[in-house]
């Protein structure tokens, strides 16, 4: 068996040049092939090449270079062993050679031979060691196992020797005695190799392949199609003992291989996936910067439960905190179910019929929020009123200026109290719940949040020149309605989804494209603009249906039947009433232009006590500032 | 000559000794009718109030704002009173009076 060549021949060129030694089978590297100098001879084609020994390089002629060498030297430099060399006065001819390596990076930094000679045959940057790629990780035999093997080997040797000795001396032991002589290896404790060489999730980096981590699966998505149904995938989320999480992705055949093997809540060893950057991590607060892409040769093995690894990684936000999140942010919530709407069928924009269910959750901040469930989650996830539930991975949405949450493919929930107890934030909620559970039904679902009293001037200042369409702000303003724009006061709406419906001449019915429902008569909803004024300025605001009714003091269904004179009367009466409005200001895109829009979300009843408190605080602050 | 007050300064219970002989406004809860006077709880201190003729019976606490003259003996001679709502915030009122009579008195009174 030929020995592996690890170095170019030391001072090969010096030996050829200075000592004219053509007997040594030098190992040299071909750095360049000078194409214009090929020559045809009776023995074949000669190629003029620059060859190196790692310290120096010089021109040599090589006969019949193989096509594989010829095609590749631009990128990788082949290494050859010269089998037959002819040294003439001015040239060095390689008649026969064997290719050792076809694709190696340049060995060392060889100097032109003359320069090398001038430097007294030294080159500080020279090196003749051939570089070989290292394995991604070291396979280490377990030390104990190594010892035990060595012991066994030693034991065997001793036994063999003993037998031999016995044979030589002629004394033979009985079989029993022989067996006693062979002492079994006792009390050998084999340390499970599994927990060795485990990395933490925080130690992973992109491009890494040969790693091993230990973690619990805390999320598992359904198998999801992608690329127009040409492929499918599922994802999991893994948490380790350092409470770090990372997403794992399985595509196509790998998805099929591992989907049934993996269960939520169980602890596994994950080996030999590929670490990649998570392109979507900036959008999702719950996701790490990297992902694990599992491959066919990846190994996932179930192991015993590990108490050091969190079972439930919930980062609970109160419903009040959700006001401070941006649209599409992810969050975890914990609360009690106070309302469950019946499941309905919705026609989506992609003409897909989907189930939809809304439940309302309420927490210790005395706020309620709607959570929308879609598809299989709407159908399969069952909840009851007064049930305490924690959700992980809900997405923040905004519909008709009201904040809500929606489930995603990776959302999970937990209802088991024994599990909920382990979640951070559970105790605060549960104390509140125990004290107030009899009164929850009577508390309103909508926001009771108090915003500091603001002014129209402040709203305008905050939104001047802003085009960031994620900016959403709430303001409480005390103002008068001075003008209600009557051009469009109401619209024909779908009873189900409240969107605009169209009258179809042929069928003489009203059709909702969203729900795919037809109505004989439309439902009327207010949606109009008004101008409000306070001491600092005026503002055009939009009033949706519920607010429109509060302002005009008549339901839209009745209003639209009134005569024009009666309608005008209602409008006149609504003007110049001072109200306290909760306004949501946000940027909307219309005709590719981003503009701020201001919606009145609610009319707040005067709360004298807290108004006075607010006033006191403002006065105190003002006085302190001026003092 | 009738003594017509220009204002009834609002004070808290701990300011009573400083305002003896002056016209003041006190806010508190009616405790008990003692015949010659009524006991009036102002921020934990019982103030004796005269000139209150009728004390209606009520299941709820009777919260009053009483304007009158503080005599040297500490009795409040009631001139006028206003009944307050049950939601009256005594704590906030006390803070406001401390502010008004304290550091920024000159902003509110001559």
């Amino acid at each position: 068996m030929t020995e592996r060549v690890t170095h170019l021949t030391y001072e090969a060129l010096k030996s050829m040049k200075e000592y004219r030694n053509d007997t040594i089978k030098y190992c040299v590297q071909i750095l360049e092939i000078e194409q214009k100098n090929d020559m045809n001879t009776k023995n074949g084609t000669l190629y003029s090449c620059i060859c190196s020994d790692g310290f120096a390089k010089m021109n040599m002629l090589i006969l019949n270079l193989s096509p594989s060498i010829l095609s590749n030297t631009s990128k990788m430099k082949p290494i050859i062993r010269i089998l037959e060399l002819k040294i003439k006065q001015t040239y060095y001819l390689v008649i026969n050679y064997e290719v050792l390596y076809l694709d190696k990076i340049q060995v060392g930094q060889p100097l032109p031979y003359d320069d090398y000679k001038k430097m007294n045959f030294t080159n500080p940057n020279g090196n003749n060691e051939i570089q070989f790629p290292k394995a991604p990780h070291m396979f280490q035999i377990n030390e104990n196992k190594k010892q035990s093997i060595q012991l066994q080997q030693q034991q065997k040797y001793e036994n063999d020797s003993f037998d031999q000795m016995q044979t030589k001396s002629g004394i033979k032991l009985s079989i029993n005695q022989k067996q006693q002589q062979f002492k079994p290896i006792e009390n050998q404790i084999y340390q499970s190799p599994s927990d060795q060489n485990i990395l933490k999730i925080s130690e992973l980096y992109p491009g890494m392949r040969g790693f091993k981590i230990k973690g619990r699966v805390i999320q598992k998505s359904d198998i999801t199609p992608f690329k127009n149904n040409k492929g499918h995938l599922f994802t999991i989320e893994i948490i380790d003992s350092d409470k770090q999480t990372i997403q794992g992705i399985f595509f196509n055949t790998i998805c099929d291989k591992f989907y049934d093997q993996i269960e939520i809540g169980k602890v596994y060893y994950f080996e030999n996936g590929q670490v990649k950057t998570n392109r979507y991590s900036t959008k999702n607060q719950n996701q790490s910067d990297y992902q694990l892409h599992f491959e066919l040769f990846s190994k996932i093995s179930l192991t015993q439960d590990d108490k050091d690894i969190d079972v439930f990684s919930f980062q609970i936000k109160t419903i009040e905190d959700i006001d401070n999140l941006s649209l599409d942010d992810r969050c975890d919530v914990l609360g009690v179910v106070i309302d469950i709407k019946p499941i309905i069928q919705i026609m989506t924009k992609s003409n897909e019929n989907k189930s939809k269910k809304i439940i309302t959750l309420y927490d210790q901040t005395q706020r309620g929020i709607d959570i929308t469930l879609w598809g299989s989650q709407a159908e399969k996830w069952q909840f009851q009123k007064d049930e305490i539930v924690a959700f992980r991975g809900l997405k923040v949405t905004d519909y008709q200026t009201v904040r809500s949450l929606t489930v995603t493919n990776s959302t999970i929930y937990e209802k088991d109290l024994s599990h909920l107890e382990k979640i951070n934030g559970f105790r605060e909620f549960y104390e509140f719940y125990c004290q107030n559970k009899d009164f929850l039904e009577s508390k309103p679902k909508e926001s009771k949040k108090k915003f500091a009293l603001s002014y129209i001037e402040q709203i305008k200042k905050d939104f001047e020149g802003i085009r960031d369409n994620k900016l959403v702000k709430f303001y409480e303003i005390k103002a008068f309605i001075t003008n209600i724009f009557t051009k469009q006061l109401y619209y024909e709406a779908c009873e189900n989804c409240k969107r605009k419906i169209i009258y179809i001449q042929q069928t003489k019915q009203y059709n909702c494209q969203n729900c795919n429902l037809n109505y004989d008569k439309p439902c009327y909803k207010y949606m109009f603009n008004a101008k409000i004024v306070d001491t600092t300025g005026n503002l055009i605001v939009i009033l949706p249906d519920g607010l429109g009714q509060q302002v005009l003091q008549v339901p839209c269904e009745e209003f639209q039947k009134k005569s024009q004179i009666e309608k005008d009367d209602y409008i006149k009466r609504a003007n110049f009433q001072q109200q306290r409005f909760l306004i949501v200001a946000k940027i909307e895109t219309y005709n590719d232009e981003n503009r701020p829009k201001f919606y009145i979300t609610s009319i707040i009843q005067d709360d004298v006590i807290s108004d006075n408190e607010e006033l006191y605080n403002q006065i105190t602050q003002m006085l302190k500032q001026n003092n | 000559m009738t003594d017509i007050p220009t204002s009834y300064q609002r004070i808290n219970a701990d300011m009573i000794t400083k305002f003896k002989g002056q016209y003041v406004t006190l806010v508190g809860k009616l405790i008990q009718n003692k015949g010659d006077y009524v006991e009036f709880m102002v921020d934990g201190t019982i103030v004796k109030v005269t000139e209150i003729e009728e004390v209606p019976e009520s299941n709820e606490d009777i919260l009053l704002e009483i304007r009158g003259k503080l005599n040297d003996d500490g009795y409040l001679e009631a001139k006028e009173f206003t009944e307050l709502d049950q939601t009256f915030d005594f704590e906030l009122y006390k803070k406001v009076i401390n502010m008004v009579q304290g550091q920024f008195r000159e902003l509110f009174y001559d």
Side-chain angles (χ1 to χ4, degrees), chain A residues 207-403:
Chain A
M208 208 177 184
R209 270 204 143 96
F211 60 83
K212 186 177 184 179
I213 62 168
K214 182 181 181 186
R216 189 188 302 280
V217 174
I218 53 171
Q219 257 185 39
K220 180 182 167 187
S221 73
D222 292 334
I223 295 180
T224 315
F226 69 98
K227 280 188 183 176
N228 297 322
N229 281 328
K230 287 179 185 172
H232 53 283
L233 63 90
F234 82 97
T235 62
I236 59 172
E237 196 162 341
I238 306 161
I239 188 170
D240 69 4
S241 53
D242 280 357
K243 300 183 201 303
Q244 293 293 313
T245 60
I246 192 164
Q247 191 185 49
I249 301 184
F250 303 79
F251 289 100
N252 303 322
T253 45
I254 303 140
C255 167
D256 300 331
K257 181 183 173 188
F258 286 109
Y259 186 75
D260 291 326
Q261 283 184 37
I262 296 175
E263 287 179 46
I264 293 180
K266 296 211 167 146
V267 178
Y268 297 87
Y269 291 109
F270 298 91
E271 293 177 75
N272 301 333
Q274 193 188 7
V275 184
K276 289 193 175 182
T277 312
N278 183 355
R279 284 181 289 165
Y280 303 104
S281 66
T282 48
K283 289 185 186 175
N284 301 320
Q285 62 163 9
N286 281 344
Q287 289 190 2
S288 71
D289 293 334
Y290 306 136
Q291 288 174 325
L292 297 179
H293 285 228
F294 289 96
E295 293 156 317
L296 276 171
F297 50 82
S298 299
K299 203 174 158 193
I300 298 176
S301 39
L302 181 65
T303 182
Q304 286 178 352
D305 196 77
D306 189 336
K307 286 177 190 172
D308 290 336
I309 302 175
D310 274 358
V311 178
F312 301 101
S313 167
F314 284 78
Q315 291 172 7
I316 298 291
K317 286 221 178 294
T318 62
I319 294 172
E320 197 171 58
D321 290 338
I322 292 168
D323 288 337
N324 301 325
L325 297 178
S326 304
L327 287 183
D328 297 336
D329 275 355
R330 300 285 198 258
C331 63
D332 307 340
V333 291
L334 166 70
V336 59
V337 177
I338 58 169
D339 189 32
I340 304 166
K341 293 206 171 35
I343 197 167
I344 56 172
Q345 296 301 319
I346 293 284
M347 185 64 70
T348 64
K349 282 179 187 171
S350 49
N351 281 330
E352 203 188 323
N353 204 22
K354 250 186 170 176
S355 302
K356 178 182 173 184
K357 183 161 72 180
I358 298 176
I359 67 167
T360 307
L361 212 65
Y362 190 91
D363 76 358
Q364 69 271 32
T365 55
Q366 297 187 61
R367 299 275 303 276
I369 195 158
D370 281 346
I371 298 174
T372 307
L373 286 73
W374 292 95
S376 61
Q377 288 153 336
E379 288 156 12
K380 291 176 188 169
W381 292 9
Q382 298 299 323
F383 301 100
Q384 290 173 355
K385 272 191 183 180
D386 293 334
E387 208 166 18
I388 298 174
V389 188
F391 287 92
R392 187 170 189 276
L394 294 170
K395 188 170 83 164
V396 177
T397 57
D398 189 305
Y399 180 64
Q400 290 186 346
T401 75
V402 177
R403 272 284 158 98

Side-chain angles (χ1 to χ4, degrees), chain A residues 20-239:
Chain A
R20 316 301 278 179
N21 191 339
D22 60 3
T23 58
I24 298 174
K25 291 185 171 60
Y26 300 104
C27 293
V28 295
Q29 187 171 37
I30 302 173
L31 298 182
E32 268 175 59
I33 301 169
E34 290 171 8
Q35 301 206 350
K36 285 184 183 174
N37 292 336
D38 55 334
M39 292 174 285
N40 289 325
T41 69
K42 60 178 179 184
N43 295 321
T45 309
L46 271 175
Y47 293 89
S48 173
C49 307
I50 308 288
C51 294
S52 152
D53 63 4
F55 288 88
K57 56 185 177 183
M58 70 177 189
N59 201 283
M60 293 178 76
L61 295 170
I62 303 179
L63 188 63
N64 296 331
L65 271 178
S66 65
S68 52
I69 292 178
L70 284 168
S71 60
N72 228 8
T73 43
S74 58
K75 295 175 191 174
M76 292 295 188
K77 318 296 177 190
I79 294 173
I80 60 170
R81 178 186 273 124
I82 298 172
L83 299 174
E84 201 179 328
L85 177 67
K86 205 167 189 178
I87 298 176
K88 293 289 179 192
Q89 275 186 346
T90 55
Y91 64 84
Y92 306 84
L93 174 61
V94 176
I95 299 167
N96 202 0
Y97 65 92
E98 67 173 328
V99 178
L100 295 174
Y101 305 108
L102 204 53
D103 53 350
K104 286 277 166 266
I105 57 169
Q106 183 175 298
V107 178
Q109 290 179 42
L111 296 167
Y113 188 83
D114 293 335
D115 295 341
Y116 175 63
K117 192 173 176 179
K118 281 177 193 168
M119 286 176 70
N120 205 23
F121 304 106
T122 58
N123 178 357
N125 296 321
N127 190 1
N128 66 338
E129 188 182 349
I130 300 169
Q131 298 295 317
F132 293 93
K134 288 186 181 155
H137 63 285
M138 298 292 284
F139 284 102
Q140 283 178 353
I141 192 166
N142 178 290
E143 274 306 309
N144 284 341
K145 195 171 179 183
K146 193 175 175 182
Q147 280 173 19
S148 72
I149 289 171
Q150 283 172 346
L151 256 172
Q152 276 187 354
Q153 285 171 349
Q154 196 182 354
Q155 194 76 39
K156 188 174 185 294
Y157 171 74
E158 281 172 4
N159 289 339
D160 286 346
S161 310
F162 188 71
D163 283 343
Q164 210 157 21
M165 276 161 62
Q166 283 192 321
T167 309
K168 276 181 185 171
S169 63
I171 298 165
K172 285 181 185 178
L173 291 175
S174 69
I175 293 172
N176 283 341
Q177 279 180 310
K178 240 188 181 175
Q179 280 173 346
Q180 279 171 23
Q181 288 291 334
F182 184 83
K183 288 174 189 172
I185 300 156
E186 287 175 338
N187 298 325
Q188 197 75 29
I189 298 163
Y190 282 89
Q191 194 177 49
S192 160
S194 304
D195 272 4
Q196 287 199 347
N197 301 325
I198 284 189
L199 295 178
K200 299 292 178 190
I201 287 173
S202 55
E203 292 174 290
L204 300 175
Y205 54 85
M208 208 177 184
R209 270 204 143 96
F211 60 83
K212 186 177 184 179
I213 62 168
K214 182 181 181 186
R216 189 188 302 280
V217 174
I218 53 171
Q219 257 185 39
K220 180 182 167 187
S221 73
D222 292 334
I223 295 180
T224 315
F226 69 98
K227 280 188 183 176
N228 297 322
N229 281 328
K230 287 179 185 172
H232 53 283
L233 63 90
F234 82 97
T235 62
I236 59 172
E237 196 162 341
I238 306 161
I239 188 170

Side-chain angles (χ1 to χ4, degrees), chain A residues 609 612-614 616-617 619-620 623-624 627, chain B residues 87-89 92 95-96 99 103-104 107-108:
Chain A
I609 293 168
N612 285 339
E613 181 120 28
E614 208 172 299
Y616 169 78
N617 291 333
I619 293 170
T620 318
L623 292 173
K624 278 180 188 166
N627 215 27
Chain B
T87 58
F88 189 83
D89 188 343
L92 182 61
K95 284 198 290 191
V96 172
M99 179 176 69
Q103 194 181 355
F104 306 106
L107 293 174
F108 297 93

Side-chain angles (χ1 to χ4, degrees), chain B residues 36-95:
Chain B
D36 293 340
Y37 62 90
V38 294
E39 280 185 343
F40 188 54
M41 174 81 82
V42 178
D43 191 28
T45 305
I46 305 275
V47 176
K48 293 171 184 171
V49 181
T50 60
E51 308 300 322
I52 299 264
E53 285 182 7
E54 279 182 53
V55 177
E57 278 188 29
S58 173
N59 292 329
E60 289 177 330
D61 293 333
I62 299 172
L63 308 177
L64 298 177
E65 177 191 70
I66 302 175
R67 292 175 289 282
K69 188 175 178 184
L70 259 183
N71 292 331
D72 292 334
D73 53 7
Y75 279 72
L76 179 66
E77 194 184 309
K79 302 287 182 195
E80 302 162 339
F81 69 87
T82 310
E83 200 163 345
L84 300 172
D85 194 64
Q86 292 299 312
T87 58
F88 189 83
D89 188 343
F90 286 98
E91 279 307 310
L92 182 61
Y93 180 83
K94 185 179 171 185
K95 284 198 290 191

